Amino acid sequence: MLFRSPAIRAVAALSLTQLIGWGATFWLPAVTGPAMAGELGMALPMVMAGPTVMLVVMAVVSWPLSAIFERHGARPVMVLGSALGAAGLLVMSLANGPVSYVLSWIILGLAGAGMLTTPAQIAVAEIAGEKARQALGVLILAGGLTSTIVWPLTGLLQAQWGWRTTTLAYAALMLLVCMPLHWSALARRPREKTAAKAAAEPTRIDRPRFALLAMSFAANGFFTWGFALTIIILFEASGLDHASALTAAAFIGIAQWAGRMVDFLGGRRWSGFATGLAASALFPLSFVVLLLSGSFVGAMVFATLYGVASGITAVTRATLPLQIFPAGAYARAAAQLAVPLNLSFAAAPPVFAAIMTSAGPHAALWLAFALSIFAFSALFGLMLLHRRMNRASQRNEMLSVDRG
């Protein structure tokens, strides 16, 4: 009975395909990287740069894809993305050196632009309609389990079969699970409707609001992705021993899940701006705690504030554009937002690693604090601009009614 709802079927299918998609690509080298480096004769940092290549390609491709999403919908793009994902993993499993290895990540970048996160959010918005925010909250809540599920599974498969066969197994999942689910569970857009929309003038995206939203999300994304691989080093630089640093870092994941759950449970009562601004305010507060405290308790307070803020922000990235832009422009706006976000995500880990190596962990922490203040200011400015434009629009409508 439950799965008779098209929206529920789509969210359930996408929760699984996103777990497979991200787990088989971006998160794969975290487990298989050392074995890959040894067999391919590559330095480990070069192997670990593969996901960065993927994110850059996703950023480059996302903007031209925006018009395709708007005209044809997410379903055909995600089906093609699944096939490309299988092809990229096949190339990776057969790689014999740096050239073929990097080529596999380029193909996976094309696949990611077609099936990971943004396309899934567009697909949910298409099929869920007015309930899109709640449906997106469920999708993102499920996505928080990706590394928790996939890392142990990848480790088990690699121990039994080796990294090449493991990669081939994930390619098979892309082809035999993700592609059929994208084909069967997502909204079919009739050709007549597609043609009519193609002939119509595209819904305009307000560029000042788009720019403020992109700046806020990209700034937050830069330090959250930058700290993803360096947070343990940061805790140790604050005076914690390795075991305590690991404990505090692991707790961030629990707090992120709680943050996603907070937005999911309270999303119907609170606007996207309210939750987004609350999360943006928690980021600088968390950095102040870590700057002022070198104790384990301070690290746990930081982990709680930072993790909750990260979890809420993950949901806000998907849902706030629904509140800001017209429904007809959501697909285009989401795809275009993916450009600065993916570039920010790609640049963050090497930049933060370089800063921590050259200037020290506290310099990276101060940079993150400054970026969090900037992100909060941009989002607050966006809220004021959005309210002003809405009031002006309402006044114009009232004047039109009075004249009529």
Side-chain angles (χ1 to χ4, degrees):
M1 294 290 291
L2 183 65
F3 283 90
R4 287 183 179 179
S5 165
I8 292 176
R9 282 201 305 271
V11 170
L14 289 169
S15 295
L16 178 58
T17 65
Q18 294 302 289
L19 186 148
I20 294 171
W22 279 109
T25 58
F26 184 86
W27 296 110
L28 184 66
V31 178
T32 63
M36 287 177 167
E39 193 167 331
L40 296 175
M42 297 168 59
L44 183 59
M46 187 173 181
V47 170
M48 300 305 289
T52 299
V53 173
M54 172 183 162
L55 290 173
V56 171
V57 174
M58 286 175 66
V60 172
V61 176
S62 291
W63 194 284
L65 269 181
S66 63
I68 298 175
F69 281 122
E70 190 169 56
R71 179 170 297 183
H72 300 291
R75 180 173 175 254
V77 181
M78 296 192 74
V79 169
L80 178 59
S82 308
L84 285 171
L89 290 169
L90 175 62
V91 172
M92 185 182 294
S93 71
L94 300 174
N96 55 13
V99 174
S100 50
Y101 179 76
V102 171
L103 175 63
S104 72
W105 284 106
I106 292 173
I107 298 172
L108 290 176
L110 296 173
M115 69 166 286
L116 295 179
T117 300
T118 298
Q121 292 167 2
I122 292 170
V124 169
E126 287 174 353
I127 206 166
E130 294 180 355
K131 296 182 178 179
R133 182 178 178 184
Q134 290 80 14
L136 286 168
V138 174
L139 179 65
I140 294 165
L141 193 63
L145 296 172
T146 300
S147 60
T148 304
I149 294 172
V150 172
W151 278 347
L153 176 62
T154 303
L156 179 64
L157 293 176
Q158 182 181 236
Q160 294 295 319
W161 298 340
W163 71 267
R164 291 187 186 273
T165 306
T166 298
T167 306
L168 271 177
Y170 282 134
L173 288 177
M174 286 277 199
L175 201 61
L176 301 177
V177 177
C178 295
M179 191 162 72
L181 284 176
H182 291 154
W183 178 261
S184 62
L186 303 187
R188 292 163 171 79
R189 302 184 67 170
R191 291 182 181 179
E192 298 84 357
K193 184 177 179 182
T194 302
K197 286 200 170 186
E201 187 71 22
T203 308
R204 190 175 69 88
I205 295 175
D206 182 69
R207 287 301 161 189
R209 283 185 285 186
F210 179 90
L212 286 169
L213 187 66
M215 286 190 292
S216 179
F217 285 172
N220 274 337
F222 189 80
F223 61 74
T224 53
W225 283 62
F227 280 148
L229 301 178
T230 56
I231 195 68
I232 294 174
I233 300 172
L234 192 67
F235 283 143
E236 290 176 341
S238 299
L240 271 64
D241 60 66
H242 187 67
S244 298
L246 280 174
T247 301
F251 190 75
I252 290 176
I254 299 172
Q256 285 175 332
W257 175 262
R260 295 181 186 210
M261 183 63 76
V262 164
D263 189 275
F264 171 69
L265 295 176
R268 294 183 181 181
R269 295 189 296 272
W270 308 320
S271 74
F273 279 115
T275 55
L277 283 169
S280 289
L282 288 178
F283 277 126
L285 180 60
S286 71
F287 297 137
V288 168
V289 169
L290 198 59
L291 283 166
L292 296 179
S293 173
S295 66
F296 178 69
V297 172
M300 291 299 289
V301 172
F302 164 82
T304 302
L305 296 174
Y306 180 85
V308 169
S310 299
I312 294 174
T313 300
V315 182
T316 304
R317 285 194 197 111
T319 58
L320 192 55
L322 287 168
Q323 186 174 336
I324 296 172
F325 304 114
Y330 177 78
R332 188 157 31 101
Q336 292 177 5
L337 276 170
V339 177
L341 288 181
N342 282 323
L343 288 175
S344 175
F345 298 161
V351 169
F352 267 81
I355 291 173
M356 293 180 75
T357 301
S358 60
H362 279 85
L365 193 57
W366 278 109
L367 173 62
F369 175 77
L371 287 171
S372 67
I373 295 294
F374 173 80
F376 176 85
S377 301
L379 189 59
F380 186 73
L382 172 61
M383 183 189 70
L384 296 179
L385 176 61
H386 183 68
R387 287 181 176 177
R388 188 169 72 245
M389 293 185 72
N390 278 352
R391 284 196 295 266
S393 177
Q394 290 169 1
R395 282 197 300 268
N396 290 336
E397 288 178 5
M398 291 176 63
L399 287 173
S400 298
V401 170
D402 291 341
R403 287 171 184 170

